[in-house]
Amino acid sequence: MEEKWSSLDLEEMINKYVSKTRIFRNREVLRHSYTPPYLPHREVQIEELVRVLAPALRGETPSNVLVYGKTGTGKTVTVKFVTDELKRIADKKGLPMNVIYINCELVDTEYRVLARLVNSFYYETGFRVPMVGWPTDEVYSKLVEILDSKRRFVIIVLDEVDRLVKKSGDTILYSLSRINYELQHARVGVVGISNDLRFKDYLDARVLSSLGEEEIVFPPYDANQLADILTGRAKEAFYEGVLEPGVIPLCAALAAREHGDARRALDLLRVAGEIAEKEHSAKVTERHVRLAQERIEFDTIAEAILTLPIHSKLILHAVVILDEHDRLPANTGEVYAVYKDLCDYFSLDPLTQRRVSDLINELDTMGILNARVVSKGRYGRTKEIRLSLPSSKLRRIYMADKKLRELLAFELSKERRLIDWMS
DNA sequence: TGTCCACTGGAAGGGAGGGCTT
DNA sequence: AAGCCCTCCCTTCCAGTGGACA
């Protein structure tokens, strides 16, 4: 084996490896899952949170609290930071405390939240609730039973709780916020984290009175604050002198434009570093940041489109076809007609217009389409549908997917018929 | 001023697909 | 195997509607 390696190959390999590690000292620091030891510009919120939750350490019932702020304002990381610390201190004091973190984007029904809560005690009970199958109230009783099996403090963190409520209503919050009344030995505090500032509007007054006892608002970061955050992380993440001076301000400025999203700022910096690394460049430059910006935008949208269910893909493509025949904005009826043709071509049963109307709304929320309800008076009330990005970009994305590529064949064989239909 | 278009979007419910207990 | 239960995706039905037009 060894004799196959010439010293030249080896030297090249070593150089490659060396140059590969020259940019990043530790790129993990730039991921949003990373909890830094210090959170700049969140001192006020940290103190608020401590004030609300710390009573648990004195053996009192902690208040429930709602945490608001847009994405990337540091809500999750701050809550994790504080609860980790509480847990550490509680452990030191020999006080039994559990912190349970649930992201409601994935766990988005009452049943699943309860099941997840029960299952988080698996290590203690050796018991698991299946992800489906049980009556919901039985899971709840089981939870109460497990919680109350001994004296303890439990902090339940529900991240993206607005999603849960929009999808499944607020009964789960109601039961959780009242759960202390059913417990003899244990005490529960709920921390709800919401991206939606109008979240309270969705809540029943009874839930609001107990869950919204305390509120903490996380304002967006401005460009200077973002720059501070990035500077702190960059020290750890990059080797010295690797970043050109304009890089951090540019990342901060771009992210500040995006409602002060620290997550986006970190992504920009990390991806810029990765691009520089791939180019074997010795430095990360502003050009790399611009490339990173482009790539992140493209990747997000491409990912979303490629994972769409087939009918949504067909609907989207119907709009693309209409666009390429200069037929935008189109209304629901027109999109539906082309969509039905596409289904026909693929030998699929078309969905009803009602359902398609909902899927169009979904594509709109994802930012792929732009659908606005308008009234055309005599000619009815409908949606005005446009693409939110050029069809050429969509085509580039299609090429990455084998099945989607078939969509491109559609026009060739059906073009004449479509043109007939349109005139 | 009323009519009427082309839908919208809520409500209810079906049924397939998952999984439980007995 | 039978009898439940939950979720997801979808259909069916339908009252409601903003505004151009007669």
Side-chain angles (χ1 to χ4, degrees), chain A residues 209-220:
Chain A
S209 69
S210 59
L211 188 66
E213 286 171 320
E214 302 278 352
E215 286 176 25
I216 303 176
V217 177
F218 283 63

Side-chain angles (χ1 to χ4, degrees), chain A residues 133-349:
Chain A
W134 276 30
T136 305
D137 53 342
E138 227 163 288
V139 185
Y140 179 77
S141 313
K142 190 77 195 173
L143 176 65
V144 170
E145 180 196 320
I146 291 173
L147 287 175
D148 218 19
S149 62
K150 64 180 190 191
R151 179 175 173 272
R152 62 166 128 222
F153 291 88
V154 179
I155 296 175
I156 299 174
V157 181
L158 298 174
D159 204 349
E160 314 220 17
V161 68
D162 45 324
R163 298 228 182 192
L164 173 67
V165 171
K166 276 178 208 160
K167 182 146 185 274
S168 317
D170 59 3
T171 44
I172 173 74
L173 293 184
Y174 184 69
S175 13
L176 282 184
S177 63
R178 305 271 156 153
I179 202 167
N180 281 326
Y181 298 120
E182 301 203 31
L183 299 172
Q184 303 284 322
H185 313 293
R187 288 288 148 221
V188 172
V190 178
V191 180
I193 305 180
S194 164
N195 289 318
D196 186 347
L197 298 159
R198 293 168 301 115
F199 171 63
K200 283 206 297 194
D201 302 347
Y202 301 102
L203 295 182
D204 189 287
R206 295 173 308 172
V207 178
L208 200 57
S209 69
S210 59
L211 188 66
E213 286 171 320
E214 302 278 352
E215 286 176 25
I216 303 176
V217 177
F218 283 63
Y221 296 108
D222 64 29
N224 289 332
Q225 295 172 331
L226 286 172
D228 276 351
I229 294 170
L230 291 181
T231 310
R233 302 262 189 126
K235 259 183 221 149
E236 182 80 17
F238 293 97
Y239 284 102
E240 249 184 278
V242 162
L243 295 184
E244 286 203 339
V247 167
I248 285 182
L250 181 58
C251 289
L254 289 173
R257 219 190 288 163
E258 204 117 328
H259 61 255
D261 185 344
R263 212 180 276 194
R264 170 54 78 91
L266 290 166
D267 280 342
L268 278 170
L269 191 56
R270 178 174 51 84
V271 174
E274 282 168 1
I275 292 173
E277 187 176 69
K278 222 171 240 165
E279 285 183 358
H280 298 291
S281 159
K283 292 206 166 215
V284 183
T285 66
E286 289 181 33
R287 186 179 62 86
H288 292 132
V289 177
R290 305 237 177 244
L291 287 174
Q293 163 93 337
E294 240 173 71
R295 199 170 99 191
I296 289 170
E297 263 168 27
F298 184 77
D299 283 358
T300 323
I301 212 91
E303 170 72 17
I305 288 173
L306 292 174
T307 54
L308 241 31
I310 183 68
H311 285 285
S312 297
K313 280 176 181 159
L314 292 182
I315 292 163
L316 174 60
H317 194 59
V319 183
V320 169
I321 289 174
L322 286 161
D323 178 51
E324 288 174 351
H325 289 83
D326 257 340
R327 285 278 174 157
L328 292 189
N331 59 35
T332 310
E334 286 160 350
V335 171
Y336 187 65
V338 179
Y339 157 80
K340 272 219 289 213
D341 257 11
L342 284 166
C343 284
D344 187 39
Y345 177 74
F346 282 96
S347 315
L348 283 166
D349 289 337

Side-chain angles (χ1 to χ4, degrees), chain A residues 115-147:
Chain A
R116 183 62 74 92
L117 288 172
V118 169
N119 291 344
S120 67
F121 289 96
Y122 176 70
Y123 66 92
E124 180 183 314
T125 58
F127 177 84
R128 252 183 222 288
V129 176
M131 281 326 280
V132 283
W134 276 30
T136 305
D137 53 342
E138 227 163 288
V139 185
Y140 179 77
S141 313
K142 190 77 195 173
L143 176 65
V144 170
E145 180 196 320
I146 291 173
L147 287 175

